[in-house]
């Protein structure tokens, strides 16, 4: 009986989450996924990929994460059943992402995780409401990223190119901005350089086409654009 009790206690200790584990889980909740490459880059910069593989494998075995195929024998990790119960999220979150959702979330995670800017992160609804209360209950189709700085944070509105024509992408950006372009608070952000419209695409040629389409469109004064390249997008969008 004593031996059994010790074994149970040992198992409980092994199941405890360390500080790094909790940060990885926070990434899953905020970005919907992570990969071994992202874990290594964010939390194990001086270790090889095997260290990340061991951590993700343990979290999968413990039920915190689920593992699904990404491409080329790579995996991505999303909400596991244990994590879903812990945070009270829908069990639907434990299922694999659809092709477009997967491409979108990988692209946004890469944009944040691989950026030289350390103060960016995807804004959860309550965080966005606190930072930009003038948006009210407006539902945005693009993803909001807040970059902390002095005073008001920089707001990056991020859209992922899932293979559409450049003019179609520009129209979607324009339609989104048109919904709040006349708000005094937004005009103030533009004049202060605190808003950036970001488009993530798969290749340099597509980046150039989008830039040309943006240049042909009329935009509010002071608006800034960033067109980023996500190499994984080509792989994800070309999968059957």
């Amino acid at each position: 009986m004593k031996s059994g009790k010790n074994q149970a206690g040992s198992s409980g200790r092994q199941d405890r989450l360390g500080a790094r584990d909790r940060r990885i889980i926070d990434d899953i909740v905020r970005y919907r996924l992570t990969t071994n490459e992202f874990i290594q880059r964010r939390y194990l910069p001086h270790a090889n990929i095997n260290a990340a593989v061991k951590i993700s494998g343990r979290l999968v075995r413990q039920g915190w994460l689920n593992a699904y195929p990404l491409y080329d024998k790579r995996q991505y990790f999303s909400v596991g059943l244990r994590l879903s119960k812990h945070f009270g999220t829908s069990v639907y979150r434990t299922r694999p992402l659809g092709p477009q959702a997967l491409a979108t979330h990988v692209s946004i995670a890469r944009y944040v995780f691989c950026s030289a800017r350390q103060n960016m992160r995807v804004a959860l609804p309550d965080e966005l409401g606190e930072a930009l209360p003038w948006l009210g209950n407006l539902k945005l189709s693009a993803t909001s990223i807040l970059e902390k700085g002095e005073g008001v944070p920089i707001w990056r509105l991020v859209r992922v190119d899932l293979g559409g024509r450049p003019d179609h992408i520009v129209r979607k950006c324009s339609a989104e901005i048109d919904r709040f372009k006349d708000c005094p608070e937004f005009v103030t952000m533009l004049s202060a350089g605190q808003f950036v419209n970001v488009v993530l695409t798969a290749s340099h040629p597509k980046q150039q086409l989008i830039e040309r389409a943006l240049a042909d469109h009329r935009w509010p004064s002071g608006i800034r654009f960033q067109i980023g390249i996500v190499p994984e997008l080509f792989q994800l969008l070309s999968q059957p």
Side-chain angles (χ1 to χ4, degrees):
M1 293 297 293
K2 185 177 180 180
S3 175
K5 183 177 180 180
N6 288 340
Q7 288 175 1
S10 175
S11 174
R13 287 192 297 272
Q14 290 174 1
D15 246 13
R16 291 176 184 170
L17 293 172
R20 183 172 54 203
D21 296 335
R22 290 193 294 272
R23 290 195 294 270
I24 292 169
I25 284 174
D26 286 344
D27 285 346
I28 298 285
V29 173
R30 187 174 296 271
Y31 298 93
R32 294 290 303 274
L33 53 72
T34 193
T35 67
N36 286 320
E37 290 76 12
F38 290 156
I39 292 172
Q40 180 193 23
R41 185 179 186 94
R42 283 170 72 74
Y43 305 115
L44 302 161
H46 304 297
N48 62 35
I49 195 68
N50 289 335
V53 171
K54 290 179 180 179
I55 292 172
S56 62
R58 172 174 53 79
L59 293 174
V60 169
R61 289 193 301 273
Q62 292 174 350
W64 293 105
L65 309 183
N66 279 344
Y68 296 108
L70 187 59
Y71 63 86
D72 291 346
K73 298 183 180 180
R74 297 185 181 184
Q75 293 179 313
Y76 72 92
F77 306 99
S78 61
V79 172
L81 186 59
R82 188 173 183 181
L83 179 55
S84 174
K85 291 179 179 178
H86 182 79
F87 281 92
T89 60
S90 169
V91 177
Y92 178 79
R93 286 280 186 106
T94 67
R95 300 173 185 171
L97 294 164
Q100 291 194 344
L102 178 59
T104 297
H105 292 303
V106 167
S107 298
I108 290 170
R110 189 184 194 281
Y111 176 71
V112 175
F113 297 167
C114 299
S115 172
R117 298 176 178 272
Q118 300 297 313
N119 295 322
M120 292 197 310
R121 66 179 187 176
V122 165
L124 298 176
D126 59 332
E127 295 169 342
L128 187 64
E130 182 178 349
L132 307 173
W134 52 269
L135 279 174
N137 295 321
L138 186 65
K139 302 297 183 182
L140 302 173
S141 61
T143 298
S144 290
I145 289 176
L146 295 177
E147 180 182 350
K148 291 184 178 180
E150 295 182 4
V152 179
I154 293 176
W155 177 25
R156 297 175 184 269
L157 196 58
V158 185
R159 185 173 300 279
V160 178
D161 168 21
L162 298 174
R165 289 171 51 87
D167 58 333
H168 176 68
I169 295 167
V170 169
R171 284 197 300 272
K172 293 184 77 171
C173 291
S174 180
E176 187 91 291
I177 292 171
D178 281 347
R179 300 167 69 195
F180 47 78
K181 69 178 183 180
D182 295 325
C183 293
E185 295 88 348
F186 182 65
V187 174
T188 300
M189 291 191 78
L190 289 181
S191 63
Q194 293 170 325
F195 175 80
V196 184
N197 200 115
V198 180
V199 178
L200 303 178
T201 191
S203 67
H204 184 64
K206 188 65 176 291
Q207 178 190 43
Q208 292 180 316
L209 291 173
I210 295 171
E211 287 173 345
R212 291 172 191 164
L214 288 170
D216 291 338
H217 191 85
R218 294 188 64 180
W219 299 98
S221 177
I223 198 165
R224 294 193 292 157
F225 288 96
Q226 179 185 9
I227 316 301
I229 298 174
V230 179
E232 292 95 330
L233 254 181
F234 180 82
Q235 294 275 5
L236 292 169
L237 295 176
S238 62
Q239 292 186 111

